[in-house]
Each structure stands twice: as C-alpha cells, then as structure tokens.
Amino acid sequence: MPQKRKKVLFVDDDLSFLEVLKNLMAHYAEGQWEIFTAPDTGQALGILQENHLDLLVVDVHMPVVDGLQFLSLLQRKYPNILKVVLTGDASEHYRAACLSSGAELFLEKPATAEGWHSVYMALNGLASLHPEEGFHGVLRRVGLQDVLQMECLARHSLTLEVSTNSIQGTIVVEEGRIIHAEAGGRAGETAFNYLMSLKGGEFSLKPFVEPAARTITGSWEFLLMEAARQRDEGREDPPLPQADTKAEVEKAVAEIEIGAAAESADSLKPKIEEVLICSAQGDVLYEWQCPQREARISFLEFLSQKARHLAQGLPLGDFERLEVHDARSRLITRIHAHRAMLVRTSKVGPTPEVG
C-alpha cells in the first residue's frame, strides 16, 4: 500500500517567496507531500475547511491578521493541527509569544540550501508525529513513570516537558530510549530522578528535538526502577548551608556597594530592597522582602537555562552574573550550578543632619 502523502499548508504574504518555498519543499519531499499555499489567513482558513492538514506553517508579520493572531484563532478552532512558525524575525519575544500561542516549533528562515534542508527535515519529522487515528482524552492521577513506560514500550521519540509552580524540566526519549533529562541546573540521571520524585504538576508531550548533550545511557527499565527506589526511600538533596547563603548575600551586597561607589558622582547610597536565593530545583533557600516571589523564581530559572545555552554555544566559560541598573536602582543575579541568587537595591540620599 503506498504511503499517504502529508498535507502541508504554508501561509505567507510574500507571493514570490511562497512560490520558491513550494518548489523547494516539493523537491525535498520527493512526492511525499501535498503542498498548499495561502497569502493570507482568509485563504488559509478556506483550505483548512476543505482539507485534513497534517501541518500548517505560518509567518509572523502579515497584514490584517498577523501570525500571532492566526495562531490564537487556530488554537481555538483547530487545536489538533500541528503549527509551526517560519519567520525572518526570530527574536526571543516572538519565539516566546508564538510557542505560548500553540506553535510546536519556531524556525528562522535560513539563508543557505543546507539551512532549508534542515527546515524541511524538522517539518517532515513533526508532520510524521501527527496521529492518523486513535483515542483522545484526559488521564487523571497518572504518574510520569506511567507515561514514560508507555512511550518507551511503543518506541516513540518525543520530548516530555514537566512543570510545577517552581520548576520546569525536560526528559528526551528517542525510539524508546531515554537519552537526556534536565531540571533547573541539573542534567542526566540526577535530573531524571528529581523529576520522577515530584508529587504533582503538569506534563506535555512535544515533538522530539535533539538535545545539546546526551546525558543518559542506561536502559529505561533500570532508570524507572532506580527512580522508584529513591522515591520510596524519600531521598532528598542536602539543603544549602545557612553559612553559604549568608556569605553569598554579603558578597553580592559588597559588589553592589563597590559598583555604586565607583560610578556615582553624588552621595547616593545603595539600599537593599529584596533578596532571593533558590536551589537548582527552584526551592527557596533564602528570601527577604520579595513581593513577587513566583515571578522572581521564574526569572531565575529562565536565566539559568539561558546561561547553560550560552556556555554550550560559546567556549568562553560559564555565564555567572547578570547586572541591570538605572539612575535609581540596581539588580544583580548570580548563577551557579546548584543555586541562583537575585538582589535588588535602590539608591537613597544621605540622611539630612539636624542642626
């Protein structure tokens, strides 16, 4: 029986680009794709109503209804369609907005033939994950170990994203083998065991994406058994000693005072407004006057992830510190393998003398 062709729709307001893109993707697909194109969202919706699509690829910047608005509409009317953003504006702002609006992938339009072939491979791999038939539903009281066992037994390739109020983690499975896990500042089996120990949260199954490093080599059966053993024993990571926490805060405050004295031409002095120190798992180790604690934790987790990406992409050593300041305030964050810290200060004038 011949393999069913995948139906893929490209939406872009540049007609000449659409024509080139259609020919290029048809060349790579070698007859395995049925390709549709639409210069605006109105025509795209018409194609959607008449065809059962496997994949929809949309640009961000389009007139009348832009890509972000279109993604939100698709998420409401066609939630089961796999959606990809292909754009020349690959800013972090649009990436985050598109992924939160339902896009499975956010890709930048490449400038080379090799880049376009990589785009095709990513799109084809995603379209191959679209289920032809089966059941859809919601499972209650299901554990991560149950999900992983089912996916590994089926020899699937996927990315399992796990989140709680304080942490986000990832487990990568390739053809039924668990090859990578990360959570907070940890990776490998340590991160995997920590995620398996979580008592609650949310998870989602995403398409397989090759991780920056393959940190796990053991069999999934052994990994699940070991994680269950550690969970039953109630093993926990040792808390950060209070002395280390105090020293860390004092060091950051000293840096703030030195920096303020070096750059200030007036008599303004730093006043500490808030301090927060978290473990690699997002647990609060020390807190002082944090009115938006959850937002600060999310920011530190985001910064820790970006720090790891920078360290992997640039052979310049570890990213350790981010500092932001204006005329009246300063914020310092420090990123380490096992913890992250945020200190915010404001600048105040000297206390007036009473004559």
Side-chain angles (χ1 to χ4, degrees):
M1 180 182 296
Q3 185 178 4
K4 182 180 177 181
R5 293 202 300 170
K6 300 179 181 68
K7 294 185 177 182
V8 183
L9 169 61
F10 292 91
V11 186
D12 197 298
D13 62 316
D14 189 333
L15 291 174
S16 59
F17 172 76
L18 271 182
E19 185 64 25
V20 172
L21 181 62
K22 180 178 181 179
N23 294 333
L24 188 61
M25 293 295 110
H27 168 71
Y28 288 135
E30 298 181 341
Q32 301 302 311
W33 282 15
E34 184 178 355
I35 301 175
F36 302 85
T37 59
D40 55 58
T41 56
Q43 293 190 34
L45 288 173
I47 295 173
L48 273 167
Q49 292 174 358
E50 298 176 0
N51 297 272
H52 180 74
L53 298 177
D54 295 287
L55 186 64
L56 187 146
V57 184
V58 62
D59 187 22
V60 171
H61 298 296
M62 296 189 297
V64 185
V65 179
D66 62 20
L68 273 174
Q69 294 170 321
F70 191 38
L71 284 173
S72 299
L73 175 63
L74 292 171
Q75 195 71 351
R76 294 193 302 270
K77 295 190 64 175
Y78 302 95
N80 294 327
I81 291 180
L82 297 175
K83 300 168 284 293
V84 175
V85 172
L86 180 63
T87 179
D89 185 359
S91 66
E92 193 62 33
H93 166 73
Y94 280 119
R95 179 186 298 275
C98 290
L99 293 177
S100 64
S101 297
E104 274 72 32
L105 290 177
F106 184 93
L107 304 174
E108 184 176 7
K109 294 177 180 177
T112 64
E114 293 80 6
W116 281 112
H117 185 260
S118 297
V119 167
Y120 164 75
M121 294 298 292
L123 296 179
N124 191 56
L126 181 60
S128 300
L129 295 176
H130 199 288
E132 294 291 339
E133 58 186 23
F135 292 96
H136 298 273
V138 177
L139 292 175
R140 300 291 184 185
R141 300 181 65 84
V142 65
L144 293 179
Q145 62 274 16
D146 302 314
V147 176
L148 282 171
Q149 185 173 3
M150 288 187 293
E151 298 298 333
C152 290
L153 284 171
R155 299 185 61 81
H156 286 164
S157 297
L158 56 98
T159 299
L160 176 65
E161 295 184 352
V162 183
S163 62
T164 68
N165 291 333
S166 60
I167 193 170
Q168 292 183 341
T170 299
I171 299 173
V172 183
V173 180
E174 182 183 42
E175 296 181 352
R177 294 178 295 109
I178 300 172
I179 63 172
H180 175 67
E182 63 180 63
R186 298 184 171 194
E189 292 188 18
T190 304
F192 179 83
N193 290 333
Y194 174 78
L195 292 173
M196 290 297 101
S197 70
L198 296 175
K199 297 181 179 179
E202 298 180 355
F203 71 86
S204 59
L205 302 179
K206 300 292 186 179
F208 172 80
V209 177
E210 180 69 34
R214 296 184 173 224
T215 58
I216 296 178
T217 58
S219 69
W220 65 267
E221 296 95 337
F222 174 80
L223 289 168
L224 289 178
M225 285 191 296
E226 177 64 16
R229 184 185 67 80
Q230 294 193 19
R231 186 171 60 251
D232 292 340
E233 292 178 355
R235 180 179 300 179
E236 298 180 356
D237 295 323
L240 186 69
Q242 185 65 26
D244 289 354
T245 303
K246 182 178 179 181
E248 188 74 14
V249 174
E250 291 175 347
K251 182 177 180 181
V253 172
E255 290 177 349
I256 291 174
E257 293 175 342
I258 293 172
E263 73 174 25
S264 178
D266 50 31
S267 57
L268 296 181
K269 301 296 183 182
K271 175 187 176 183
I272 296 177
E273 300 289 349
E274 63 178 297
V275 178
L276 178 67
I277 299 180
C278 296
S279 71
Q281 291 76 38
D283 299 321
V284 175
L285 302 174
Y286 180 85
E287 175 188 359
W288 185 72
Q289 293 189 183
C290 292
Q292 298 177 319
R293 186 177 76 163
E294 296 303 322
R296 299 293 193 250
I297 293 173
S298 298
F299 173 69
L300 288 176
E301 289 179 344
F302 171 80
L303 191 61
S304 297
Q305 293 176 357
K306 293 303 177 184
R308 291 198 307 276
H309 294 162
L310 285 172
Q312 293 168 357
L314 296 174
L316 301 176
D318 293 333
F319 176 92
E320 293 184 350
R321 167 174 163 157
L322 172 68
E323 181 173 338
V324 182
H325 60 90
D326 58 22
R328 303 295 302 182
S329 62
R330 179 188 296 263
L331 181 144
I332 285 182
T333 60
R334 298 179 66 89
I335 306 298
H336 298 286
H338 303 295
R339 63 188 182 275
M341 184 192 68
L342 178 148
V343 178
R344 181 174 64 86
T345 69
S346 63
K347 297 179 182 179
V348 297
T351 303
E353 296 182 0
V354 179

